[in-house]
Amino acid sequence: MNKISGVVICYNEEKNIERCVLNLQTVCDEVIVLDSFSSDRTVEICNSLNVKFHQKAFVGYGEQKIAATKLANMEFILSLDADEILSEELINEILFLKKDILADVNYIPRLTNYCGVWVHHCGWYPDRKIRLWKQSCAEWTNQEIHETVKVVNSQASINTLRNNILHYSFLSAQDHFEKINKYSNIQSKNLYDRGMRVNKIRKYLSAALKFISIYIFKQGLLDGRTGYLISKRSAYAQFIKY
């Protein structure tokens, strides 16, 4: 039987953390939570659950996830964000594989819920990412944003699971705009530090191309009004980033 550590980083996630932890506990042998000194009820909720709770000042998503993974004791890591859970079908799939046929590195598709609607286009699905891996075979990159898990053992066996992580990312339009402002600030600073400068024409053109890319080429129109809103708000995010 393979042993799995569930790992979550969080900050002010009182709305999500209990759901995420209880979900991970259905398949994991331990759950690690690394908190960035939350000011809401996150700490209180975690202390009421059977988790290994730690705190560390936030220094970037990649570095934070690397630090959280180092706290894990089991051979395999299963990493979720606080606003994610495993679908019931994925729980059963992992429990079956966990017995003795779990690959070293596992890609898992992610289905995102946008303001109550599951999004199947817009380039958002299947959005397969490495989320379950053997510690000796893969690791997080240390990027400040858009961190990923990379394979570090060329001999590692690789599998793609069939069932979904469920991502409850955007609960409202306000929630989306808050995240746009948060991430665009980080992205623009990174681009500026790398020497990029942008004129007005490029700002408007890049926003228009972003809308066309998501709504037309990534078939956002098939998601109806939700696809239109995602395309429009993603174009806005592109504009303010530049």
Side-chain angles (χ1 to χ4, degrees), residues 1-4 29 75-76 97-102:
M1 176 76 75
N2 296 298
K3 298 290 187 179
I4 302 175
D29 300 279
E75 185 178 26
F76 279 85
L97 296 173
K98 182 182 176 182
K99 295 175 184 177
D100 59 5
I101 53 174
L102 191 59

Side-chain angles (χ1 to χ4, degrees), residues 25-78:
Q25 287 174 338
T26 62
V27 299
C28 296
D29 300 279
E30 66 172 2
V31 175
I32 310 292
V33 176
L34 181 60
D35 175 69
S36 302
F37 296 99
S38 292
S39 57
D40 65 358
R41 295 182 57 249
T42 298
V43 177
E44 175 188 341
I45 293 169
C46 287
N47 286 335
S48 72
L49 303 171
N50 184 26
V51 302
K52 296 180 178 178
F53 183 78
H54 304 267
Q55 291 184 303
K56 180 181 183 298
F58 185 79
V59 290
Y61 287 97
E63 291 291 347
Q64 203 75 359
K65 290 183 177 181
I66 290 169
T69 300
K70 288 179 179 178
L71 298 169
N73 299 299
M74 304 304 167
E75 185 178 26
F76 279 85
I77 300 294
L78 174 54

Side-chain angles (χ1 to χ4, degrees), residues 148-167:
T148 58
V149 178
K150 63 179 181 180
V151 179
V152 295
N153 183 345
S154 61
Q155 304 302 313
S157 58
I158 299 176
N159 187 29
T160 300
L161 304 192
R162 296 175 56 190
N163 296 292
N164 299 319
I165 289 172
L166 303 179
H167 185 206

Side-chain angles (χ1 to χ4, degrees), residues 4-233:
I4 302 175
S5 294
V7 178
V8 186
I9 68 167
C10 65
Y11 175 72
N12 286 352
E13 289 286 356
E14 63 180 9
K15 294 179 180 178
N16 295 312
I17 193 63
E18 182 173 10
R19 177 183 61 191
C20 179
V21 167
L22 293 177
N23 181 263
L24 278 172
Q25 287 174 338
T26 62
V27 299
C28 296
D29 300 279
E30 66 172 2
V31 175
I32 310 292
V33 176
L34 181 60
D35 175 69
S36 302
F37 296 99
S38 292
S39 57
D40 65 358
R41 295 182 57 249
T42 298
V43 177
E44 175 188 341
I45 293 169
C46 287
N47 286 335
S48 72
L49 303 171
N50 184 26
V51 302
K52 296 180 178 178
F53 183 78
H54 304 267
Q55 291 184 303
K56 180 181 183 298
F58 185 79
V59 290
Y61 287 97
E63 291 291 347
Q64 203 75 359
K65 290 183 177 181
I66 290 169
T69 300
K70 288 179 179 178
L71 298 169
N73 299 299
M74 304 304 167
E75 185 178 26
F76 279 85
I77 300 294
L78 174 54
S79 177
L80 291 184
D81 292 336
D83 59 359
E84 297 174 337
I85 62 170
L86 313 172
S87 67
E88 202 64 42
E89 297 81 5
L90 181 55
I91 289 172
N92 292 331
E93 185 176 8
I94 292 174
L95 287 174
F96 175 76
L97 296 173
K98 182 182 176 182
K99 295 175 184 177
D100 59 5
I101 53 174
L102 191 59
D104 297 331
V105 176
N106 298 271
Y107 286 84
I108 305 178
R110 184 173 70 163
L111 181 62
T112 296
N113 189 289
Y114 187 88
C115 303
V117 178
W118 295 108
V119 180
H120 292 88
H121 303 93
C122 296
W124 283 19
Y125 186 78
D127 190 28
R128 295 183 182 91
K129 307 287 187 186
I130 299 172
R131 290 300 194 89
L132 176 59
W133 68 91
K134 186 180 288 187
Q135 291 211 54
S136 60
C137 294
E139 61 186 25
W140 284 106
T141 60
N142 64 355
Q143 294 158 275
E144 185 177 3
I145 191 172
H146 300 318
E147 70 290 347
T148 58
V149 178
K150 63 179 181 180
V151 179
V152 295
N153 183 345
S154 61
Q155 304 302 313
S157 58
I158 299 176
N159 187 29
T160 300
L161 304 192
R162 296 175 56 190
N163 296 292
N164 299 319
I165 289 172
L166 303 179
H167 185 206
Y168 295 90
S169 182
F170 304 103
L171 304 178
S172 65
Q174 179 183 351
D175 185 36
H176 192 182
F177 283 116
E178 286 175 356
K179 291 185 179 180
I180 285 173
N181 289 331
K182 175 182 177 181
Y183 293 124
S184 63
N185 285 340
I186 297 172
Q187 290 172 318
S188 10
K189 182 180 184 303
N190 287 341
L191 291 173
Y192 187 86
D193 289 345
R194 283 158 45 192
M196 178 179 280
R197 302 293 183 267
V198 180
N199 58 35
K200 289 183 179 180
I201 294 174
R202 182 168 183 178
K203 284 194 291 187
Y204 285 103
L205 182 61
S206 65
L209 291 175
K210 174 65 77 172
F211 179 88
I212 293 168
S213 171
I214 295 175
Y215 194 64
I216 304 298
F217 296 112
K218 295 181 180 178
Q219 300 183 315
L221 74 170
L222 297 180
D223 285 310
R225 181 174 182 272
T226 297
Y228 170 75
L229 291 174
I230 289 171
S231 304
K232 180 180 177 181
R233 290 165 184 169

